[in-house]
Every structure is written in C-alpha cells, then in structure tokens.
Amino acid sequence: MGNNILEIENLTVSFDGFKAINNLNFSMEAGELRTIIGPNGAGKTTFLDIITGKTQPTEGRVYFQGRSLLGQSEHKVARLGIGRKFQTPRVYLNLTVRENLDLACNRSKSVLKTFFSKPSSSDKRNVAGLLETIGLFPKAELKAALLSHGEKQRLEIGMLVAQSPDLLLVDEPVAGLTDEETENVGSLLIALAESHSIIVIEHDMEFVRQIARKVTVLHQGSVLCEGTMDEVQNDPRVIEVYLGSEEV
Ligand code: ADP
Ligand code: MG
C-alpha cells in the first residue's frame, strides 16, 4: 500500500442490478491533486458517496491511510479526516464570512460556545489565514448572502479546510461560475494542494486543464484510463466515449 492515502479494490455498487460502479480499481498517493472526469452517469458522484460512507458498496474494498472504510458512517469517515465539498454551497447565509469560518474552526465545540465565547488567539490566526487563502479578507464582515456564487464556493472550501482534513473531495466546484470565478477556484485548489491530498471531480475541461496533474477517466463505473491531461485527451478510447456527448 506504501504511501497511498486512498486505495480502492474491485469496487462494485449495484442499484437494483444496475452497476453504477463496476469492478473499479483506484489508488492515489498522499499529496496528490487528482482530477476525475467522465461523461454524465459515469459513476463519479457515486464514487465519492462510497468514499464518504454515504453509500455502501456491493463488493470491494476501500482503504484510507491503510484503514478500511467499509461499514463506517459518514460522520465517522469525516472524523477520520475526509472532507467533502458538495456541488451547491452549504454556507450560513445570515452569518458573516468570518463567522462561517469561526464556526467551521469550532465544529467540535458547541455552536453556542462558538458565539458566546471569544475566539482564542490561535483560532483568530487560523481564521485570518483562511480568509487570506480563500481571497475573502476584504469581505470578512459581509453576510455570506451577499457573496457571489464563486465566493460562496471559495468560502465553503475554506470551511472544509478549517476542519483540517487529510483528504479533500470536491464535486464539480465550478459548475455555473463565471470564467474569472472559475480561475479563482482553480488557483485556490492549486494552493491547497501544497498541503492537502485532493480529488476534484469535474466536467469543465478548461478548468481541468488549469488544475490537472494526473487525470482519471471514469466510464460506465470503471476506470477507462489515467494520465496527464494531454495523454487522456489523445487516448482514442476517451475520444470515443466523449464523442457525441461533450467535448474533451
Ligand atoms: P456521475 O456523477 O458520473 O454523473 P452518478 O454517480 O451520479 O454519475 O450516477 C451513475 C449512475 O448510477 C447513473 O446512471 C445514475 O442514474 C445511477 N444512480 C446513481 N445513484 C443511484 C441510486 N441511488 N439509485 C439508482 N441509480 C442510481
Ligand atoms: Mg455527479
């Protein structure tokens, strides 16, 4: 298993006999920024659902840092160090950007305590650093409701990072964003990749080109191929799978 943060063997997930994931094998080293692409229905979201404990596989094994995740609840998986960013931002709209991050930094403490006790100086440093990282320092005191969609995405990524996960799972973070916001989210993920292992699921090929290191292509619930963006784009199997559905 070596230095692999994630190791998945012979994974199959059947929904009433339909195999959304079909004998899938996947591994990833600690510190990687991995992009997973594939046409609609390829099994990308189901793949994340299994890692996070939302769905249990029909067959196969999943190891995180050498430890089996099978049978673990979503809550337990999160506590083991896997953070997931869903497609739509889940931030508290009536709280300021800073309050959202304070809350995320204090997830383990109670909500009441977070608001009625002064943040410690190390919490303050963390939040200031996070505001800087996600590029929202100038908007720290604004209610999250006033942020653009892209800023909300960055805030939610910041809230995930506040919980210090070892592995970050990010599902289609730039869907519906402007070009400029897309680039900002890309830069943020690249910056975070210096200190985290990250899996990004994505459709937007422009964006994949911006962030891609190693790319895994899923098709019909299995890995079709892996490589650099150039390698997978020129792979005849990938071209065939994408033909008629969308551009690579
Ligand atoms: P992707 O994210 O790559 O678009 P999904 O993982 O969402 O693909 O879905 C893969 C396939 O599994 C699709 O054909 C989808 O309709 C099917 N599927 C996903 N979840 C369920 C479910 N809970 N019950 C039945 N079929 C499902
Ligand atoms: Mg999906």
Side-chain angles (χ1 to χ4, degrees):
M1 214 163 283
N3 196 27
N4 285 344
I5 189 164
L6 194 62
E7 182 94 29
I8 293 177
E9 295 168 2
N10 306 113
L11 191 72
T12 295
V13 180
S14 301
F15 294 117
D16 299 323
F18 170 74
K19 290 179 176 171
I21 298 288
N22 188 1
N23 199 25
L24 180 147
N25 289 281
F26 177 89
S27 65
M28 174 176 157
E29 287 180 18
E32 265 193 63
L33 169 58
R34 180 73 67 94
T35 313
I36 299 182
I37 63 173
N40 267 327
K44 304 182 295 297
T45 298
T46 305
F47 179 70
L48 294 191
D49 288 344
I50 288 169
I51 297 171
T52 57
K54 189 174 179 213
T55 301
Q56 289 297 326
T58 315
E59 276 175 57
R61 288 167 293 282
V62 179
Y63 298 98
F64 171 62
Q65 294 174 331
R67 174 176 189 157
S68 173
L69 292 184
L70 292 196
Q72 308 281 11
S73 66
E74 281 186 273
H75 183 70
K76 178 75 190 297
V77 170
R79 271 196 294 136
L80 288 174
I82 299 182
R84 178 176 192 175
K85 159 93 186 65
F86 286 88
Q87 206 168 324
T88 33
R90 297 178 170 188
V91 301
Y92 298 97
L93 297 175
N94 292 324
L95 299 183
T96 66
V97 170
R98 185 189 300 281
E99 286 165 345
N100 268 285
L101 290 171
D102 279 340
L103 198 59
C105 284
N106 289 288
R107 272 281 153 78
S108 48
K109 304 180 196 164
S110 79
V111 174
L112 284 180
K113 229 175 169 179
T114 302
F115 285 103
F116 294 106
S117 65
K118 284 216 168 94
S120 70
S121 56
S122 71
D123 282 349
K124 275 189 207 156
R125 263 202 311 278
N126 283 345
V127 169
L130 280 168
L131 283 167
E132 203 70 65
T133 306
I134 61 177
L136 292 178
F137 210 100
K139 304 208 167 177
E141 314 310 333
L142 281 188
K143 294 248 195 274
L146 298 174
L147 299 178
S148 71
H149 184 51
E151 289 166 341
K152 284 189 195 118
Q153 296 284 29
R154 281 189 276 143
L155 173 56
E156 199 194 359
I157 292 171
M159 290 169 71
L160 263 186
V161 170
Q163 295 166 72
S164 325
D166 295 316
L167 175 62
L168 266 168
L169 307 175
V170 188
D171 200 353
E172 298 197 28
V174 301
L177 296 192
T178 63
D179 289 352
E180 191 189 345
E181 286 169 335
T182 296
E183 206 175 317
N184 288 339
V185 169
S187 307
L188 172 58
L189 290 172
I190 289 169
L192 291 175
E194 287 180 16
S195 48
H196 296 82
S197 307
I198 308 182
I199 294 179
V200 183
I201 294 221
E202 195 46 63
H203 258 296
D204 182 325
M205 289 305 156
E206 205 51 51
F207 177 70
V208 173
R209 235 171 261 123
Q210 181 193 347
I211 64 164
R213 314 305 203 229
K214 188 168 177 181
V215 179
T216 298
V217 185
L218 284 196
H219 176 54
Q220 294 178 347
S222 303
V223 173
L224 184 67
C225 69
E226 280 181 344
T228 63
M229 188 67 190
D230 279 342
E231 284 164 357
V232 301
Q233 261 186 304
N234 292 312
D235 188 311
R237 291 168 301 173
V238 176
I239 295 168
E240 194 184 323
V241 160
Y242 270 90
L243 256 184
S245 56
E246 52 198 308
E247 289 165 43
V248 173

